[in-house]
Amino acid sequence: MSSRSVLTLTQRELLDALRNRWFIVYAAAFLVLCISLAAMIVNSAGYAGISGFGRTAAGLINLVLFLAPLMGLTLGAQSLSAEREQGTLAYLLAQPVSLGEIFLAKFLGLAIAIAGAIAIGFSISSLAIMYWSGGAGVGIFLRLLPLTLLLGWTTLAIGFVISAVSDKTVSALGIGVVAWLLLVLIGDLGLMGASVAVSISPGMLLTLTIVNPLESFRIASILQLRNSIELLGPSGLVANDRFGDLTLWVLVGVMIVWLTGATMLAYVLARRRELQ
Amino acid sequence: MEPAIQFDHVSKRFGSFAALDDVSFEVPSGQSIALWGSNGAGKTTLIRCMLGVTAFRGEIAVEGFSSAKHGKDVRVRIGYVPQVMPLFDPPVGEMVDLISRLRGVDSAEGLRLLERFELKQTLNKPVKSLSGGMRQRLALTLALLGNPHILVLDEPTANLDASSQKDLLTLLHQLKDEGRTIVFTSHRWSEVRSLADTVVHLEEGRVKEMGAVSALALQQDLVFIRLVLDESSISPASTALTSAGFQPYSGDGSVHVTVADAHKMDVFGALSAADVRVRNFTLEVEE
């Protein structure tokens, strides 16, 4: 694998991402919502002091949970399918580069673009908080940044799997949005429904919950921000009981397994399809 | 002297369909070879095998490098022009820079080529905003970055108007005169006759005949018919013409067929028998 080719193609992918109107919309929406939240944090601190922290932290986690996966899934879903549909992938493959180099560069380019959008959103919000209130509450953004990046990249990898098997960009985007709904809403509700309908042991329920990378993110974020997940109720206690001090690392591990597994699966599927 | 390209018992299957079946021939250095045949004859698949972007059985050697084992080394040695240059979003200058860097050459070479092919004024225009003829000239510019000895062109004039076809052919003649090895596909006999030293006639994935243009059985008074059809009629028309023994080529909302002048009415007879309605047609005598 040539690092020169990967670097060249990564730069191209970054430039393409900056031209992608979907990316621009997501990045702008993320920034605006982060700043709004920053304003809320400042107001909470003003009126309720530290008691406002829980509300703003929950707001930030929910904001990230909605937007970062939507950005990762839809940008990932468009990545290979759009190139395939436009004929640009076949053209690039006729150049002295390998599919592995193109794939890696596309992933790196989009991962950097997503990281940039998240980092800009968090940084400007932090600066706004520092300007308005002298810094109280900035820590929330800083402590949540690594987990948010991991969530964005994990969902990007899942988006790549969708892209690798889709013929058309429109259908890839559709599947990406359905996957987002499944992970954000339906998976959660379905698990709640299933736990009522079928008797599921707390341990099994915890396992089924954290298999969803978004739920792993949610619990890990709460743990990161509050240093305790007891506010999650019995499931938090079960998690504490099962994993103890390793809970955060188990949750991060689940997300890393998703990230690496989905990326490898996407590459295998893309290779089978493009080079057959 | 070692041939520029050597195809040795090349076979490629898609499931039970044999796209290429035991294809063997050589392309001598500096020669221009036309791959001739109907849709599905295996021309594009052979090009993809040669570029090393698809798996196949047999062996293809490009200037001594195996396409199967050393695809990147092979692709450095080949300048590739697709049927249609994809609609890239970036400006022309950015594309030239990208391909230059991938090929390990100075992008100043790209600027010289843009000037040669009268594209320098398009430097800041998005590739997708260029006309079809300009895009194909850009594809040729990008294919020549790094000065490869071998040019591979897949139906380079298929979607061009008559004037752009003529311009591109003139450029290809210049490149041939520079001593480059050229492998191209075309469904226009006039192009084949004008540019090719040798024709490889592929049918159903096999080499049906091969030889100098003047020596082939294909050589006769030919006419090129472009049939304008409803979108839904294109596939039935291609099937009907193939069944009747013609070699149709479908693209840009029409079906093209090159046929001996004496049999031109048989084309319409075959379409009529298959209940395919022809909305319009043009007919050119192949010179």
Side-chain angles (χ1 to χ4, degrees), chain B residues 137-154:
Chain B
R137 274 189 282 147
L138 174 62
L140 199 54
T141 302
L142 299 176
L144 288 170
L145 287 168
N147 200 19
H149 292 139
I150 301 171
L151 272 182
V152 174
L153 307 100
D154 191 3

Side-chain angles (χ1 to χ4, degrees), chain A residues 1-2 4-5 8-9 11-12 15-16 19 86-88 91-98 101 274-276, chain B residues 12 14 48 51 53-55 72 75-76 80 82 85-88 90-91 94 98-99 101-104 142:
Chain A
M1 190 167 283
S2 153
R4 189 193 65 198
S5 297
T8 301
L9 290 166
Q11 286 171 349
R12 174 225 174 205
L15 286 172
D16 279 355
R19 278 189 280 257
Q86 291 164 4
T88 50
Y91 184 78
L92 284 176
L93 283 170
Q95 305 303 323
V97 288
S98 66
E101 288 163 351
E274 303 305 331
L275 305 184
Q276 70 168 354
Chain B
K12 169 77 185 174
F14 294 105
R48 293 191 71 222
L51 291 167
V53 294
T54 187
K72 282 170 71 174
R75 294 193 289 277
V76 167
Y80 170 68
M85 178 70 187
L87 298 173
F88 283 99
E94 206 175 300
L98 173 71
I99 304 297
R101 289 169 67 187
L102 291 179
R103 289 188 160 267
L142 299 176

Side-chain angles (χ1 to χ4, degrees), chain A:
Chain A
M1 190 167 283
S2 153
S3 55
R4 189 193 65 198
S5 297
V6 173
L7 181 66
T8 301
L9 290 166
T10 302
Q11 286 171 349
R12 174 225 174 205
E13 195 61 38
L14 259 174
L15 286 172
D16 279 355
L18 295 177
R19 278 189 280 257
N20 184 331
R21 61 175 180 270
W22 286 90
F23 177 74
I24 294 166
V25 167
Y26 289 142
F30 194 74
L31 177 62
V32 168
L33 290 170
C34 277
I35 292 173
S36 308
L37 211 71
M40 204 173 98
I41 289 172
V42 171
N43 286 335
S44 303
Y47 291 111
I50 199 69
S51 67
F53 174 87
R55 204 172 53 205
T56 51
L60 185 57
I61 290 170
N62 281 328
L63 164 66
V64 168
L65 262 175
F66 270 82
L67 268 183
L70 188 62
M71 188 156 40
L73 281 166
T74 52
L75 290 178
Q78 291 176 70
S79 59
L80 295 168
S81 56
E83 294 253 28
R84 190 183 297 122
E85 195 172 44
Q86 291 164 4
T88 50
L89 184 58
Y91 184 78
L92 284 176
L93 283 170
Q95 305 303 323
V97 288
S98 66
L99 179 64
E101 288 163 351
I102 295 173
F103 184 92
L104 180 61
K106 287 196 82 63
F107 192 88
L108 287 177
L110 284 172
I112 293 169
I114 287 173
I118 291 170
I120 288 171
F122 277 25
S123 305
I124 292 180
S125 309
S126 301
L127 288 173
I129 292 174
M130 287 172 79
Y131 177 75
W132 287 327
S133 72
V138 167
I140 298 176
F141 287 97
L142 293 178
R143 275 183 283 165
L144 213 51
L145 182 61
L147 283 172
T148 305
L149 293 180
L150 188 55
L151 179 68
W153 296 337
T154 301
T155 49
L156 178 68
I158 298 170
F160 263 71
V161 174
I162 295 167
S163 200
V165 296
S166 301
D167 283 321
K168 302 258 179 201
T169 315
V170 172
S171 54
L173 269 174
I175 298 169
V177 171
V178 170
W180 176 75
L181 280 171
L182 276 172
L183 291 170
V184 173
L185 296 174
I186 300 170
D188 206 16
L189 292 174
L191 204 57
M192 282 169 64
S195 64
V196 172
V198 186
S199 175
I200 300 177
S201 67
M204 177 59 74
L205 188 61
L206 177 70
T207 307
L208 290 174
T209 302
I210 65 172
V211 159
N212 180 345
L214 273 65
E215 289 303 321
S216 281
F217 167 82
R218 192 198 305 267
I219 300 169
S221 302
I222 292 167
L223 196 57
Q224 184 77 338
L225 295 178
R226 297 291 305 256
N227 213 19
S228 159
I229 48 175
E230 282 166 16
L231 66 86
L232 290 175
S235 57
L237 292 171
V238 171
N240 254 342
D241 181 52
R242 180 153 293 195
F243 305 121
D245 291 343
L246 292 175
T247 305
L248 179 65
W249 294 111
V250 169
L251 298 168
V252 168
V254 168
M255 292 168 75
I256 290 174
V257 167
W258 267 102
L259 170 61
T260 49
T263 307
M264 286 192 285
L265 177 64
Y267 177 63
V268 169
L269 293 171
R271 191 173 169 78
R272 186 181 292 177
R273 189 185 180 109
E274 303 305 331
L275 305 184
Q276 70 168 354

Side-chain angles (χ1 to χ4, degrees), chain B residues 264-279:
Chain B
K264 60 179 179 285
M265 293 311 294
D266 296 347
V267 169
F268 296 94
L271 293 173
S272 176
D275 272 343
V276 174
R277 183 172 161 267
V278 177
R279 285 175 51 211

